[in-house]
Amino acid sequence: MSIHMGKPAAAGQAPGTEEPPDTGVATPVAVAGERHKLTALQGLAALSLDAMASVAYGPESIVLVLAAAGAYGMGFTLPVTLAIAALLAVLVASYRQVIAAFPDGGGSYAVAKRHLGRRTSLMAAASLILDYVLNVAVSVTAGVAALTSAFPELYGERVWICLGVLVLVTAVNLRGVVDSAKAFLLPTALFVGSVLAMIAVGLFRDGPVSTASVAGHASALGEGALEHGSGAVGALLLLKAFAAGCSALTGVEAVANAVPSFRAPAARRAQRTEVALGALLGVMLIGLSVLIGRFHLQPVEGVTVLAQLADASFGHNAAFYVVQFATMVLLALAANTSFGGLPVLMSLLARDNYLPHVFALKADRQVHRHGVVWLALVSAALLVFSGGDTNTLVPIFAIGVFVGFTICQVGMVRHWYGERPRGWRAKAALNGFGALLTGVSAVVVTATKLTEGAWSIVLALPLLVLGFEKIHHAYADIGERLELGRIPVAPHRSRSLVVVPVSGLSRLTCQALTAARSLGDEVLAVTVTHPTPEDRQAAEALLRDWELWKPGVELIELSSQTRSLGRPVSGYVRELTRTHPDTQVTVLIPETEPARLWQRLLQNQRGSVVAHAVRRDTDAVICRLRFRVTSDTH
């Protein structure tokens, strides 16, 4: 039996989230906690994998759309990429401002909550949650697709491989965000280094060194599609290409969402990480698009554009396979961005009573374990539903994040207008321009993908918001009934009656009655009996032994015709509360706790059955006395 004493949470505050007073002195706990937080470089590895890995499919998405207009359409690859890079620059600059203004994290949710109202903030949170969950599924399936392309015999096992990768990423994140950053730092550096080297080498080539990777592969658009394309490139086609390429911008907001995960000064480190992410992503996107035009690449079935570029720049040698391996690993691990950002966002929602409070709890390594596990379970369901197929998930990817982008930028305009610090007009203009760009992008991305599955996101967003509202209403109702935030009446002492269920005489029975007599004014022991001959003999033997023992506590026999255990006890307790309305009734349930975990499988779970029945049918207090069975116990 255990008693927990602690400072009560403030009204509306999630239990378990109390903050220690700020004395201005670094405590040992605070110093130890800093070790489990991120540096700027570690933040780049832990929170930027999604954005980094998007260079593997962002340019390819643009090419697949523009190739429908023939060789002339392919010439617009670089202009479309430059438009996406410009949007990226605006987003990075905007999110630097978000990090400075909202150092507690939360990104668009925190901004909207303060400046745009509750409903808008919940819409932002819902859009980010959907995007984070989809990012895990898309990243894992894309990485496994790269693996099965190299080893086709594994294609039939792709779902199990996807789940295995998900388990690996989840296990690393359960050890802490710093451990995940350290584990993924080398793959990130290898990928970025190989892509930048490929771009640098490719820029000095007059033509492709090798085309061995596409030998024997058919065009993704059919034979002669590029040569005989219509050449007509309209605004709709360019908008579709832009929308397709915008998948490369997912993950830009992750750093702003997870600012508390950085070491002090957290905001400054997060800003450095955001700028580094934007610079690397922009250089890689533009560089790859330049190479696509330089080598006149076309989409080919079964071979990615990135693989063709590696072949053309390095040749079909060891460097080519290094790029493929690095791409495969980073795509699979890009899910880590979601594991770094979403649990922090869920903890903020839990503190605001929009998610269960358990999501606000942290483990000893600064890990929101419940958020990590929930994300893994939902992502696993998506992987199974999609059959491990990337194309099933990509059409609905990146829609939610643009909704969040737009809400965030509009909220920051309101922020600068209200605060009006030095240079606020320029900052507001930047966020206003960003809101315009991301708003248009959100409409374009949704409209062009509506028939490809985007309708499910449009439907899911209001449903998630409705769920948040229901949870918030439930917490408000509980808070009202508990009178949180009010000064309660003075406590008073009432008569106490303790009921102890027993099944036989043992040291456990003695311990239970001793504890019960120290808790209550009166103690009653109850035992449940059955009418069968063998059970009657056992019951009579217990009654005789009880009379011989004389513990000073009355033993009451409760008969059960159906061999039920919990209902007779709960019925008796319910009758006691009816006949003794001014008495506090407590049910003390004695249980053994074996020394080894596997030995717990040998227990009969009688205590759990009784506790469940009493909790369900009565308002009595339940105490569960744990008697530890150790090697020294006789």
Side-chain angles (χ1 to χ4, degrees), residues 45 197 376 449:
K449 296 183 177 182

PDB file of all heavy atoms in Angstrom, residues 45 197 376 449:
ATOM      1  N   ALA A  45      20.255  16.704 -36.865  1.00  0.00           N
ATOM      2  CA  ALA A  45      20.110  15.270 -37.134  1.00  0.00           C
ATOM      3  C   ALA A  45      18.790  14.725 -36.616  1.00  0.00           C
ATOM      4  O   ALA A  45      18.180  13.854 -37.241  1.00  0.00           O
ATOM      5  CB  ALA A  45      21.273  14.506 -36.497  1.00  0.00           C
ATOM      6  N   ALA A 197      28.341  16.363 -52.848  1.00  0.00           N
ATOM      7  CA  ALA A 197      29.451  15.934 -53.708  1.00  0.00           C
ATOM      8  C   ALA A 197      28.945  15.593 -55.105  1.00  0.00           C
ATOM      9  O   ALA A 197      29.582  15.931 -56.117  1.00  0.00           O
ATOM     10  CB  ALA A 197      30.162  14.726 -53.087  1.00  0.00           C
ATOM     11  N   ALA A 376       3.890   5.689 -32.768  1.00  0.00           N
ATOM     12  CA  ALA A 376       4.327   4.425 -33.374  1.00  0.00           C
ATOM     13  C   ALA A 376       3.133   3.527 -33.697  1.00  0.00           C
ATOM     14  O   ALA A 376       3.073   2.921 -34.772  1.00  0.00           O
ATOM     15  CB  ALA A 376       5.293   3.704 -32.434  1.00  0.00           C
ATOM     16  N   LYS A 449      -4.789  17.693 -55.353  1.00  0.00           N
ATOM     17  CA  LYS A 449      -4.716  16.330 -54.828  1.00  0.00           C
ATOM     18  C   LYS A 449      -6.049  15.847 -54.260  1.00  0.00           C
ATOM     19  O   LYS A 449      -6.118  14.770 -53.665  1.00  0.00           O
ATOM     20  CB  LYS A 449      -3.645  16.244 -53.728  1.00  0.00           C
ATOM     21  CG  LYS A 449      -2.234  16.524 -54.226  1.00  0.00           C
ATOM     22  CD  LYS A 449      -1.221  16.362 -53.105  1.00  0.00           C
ATOM     23  CE  LYS A 449       0.206  16.567 -53.599  1.00  0.00           C
ATOM     24  NZ  LYS A 449       1.198  16.358 -52.523  1.00  0.00           N
TER      25      LYS A 449
END
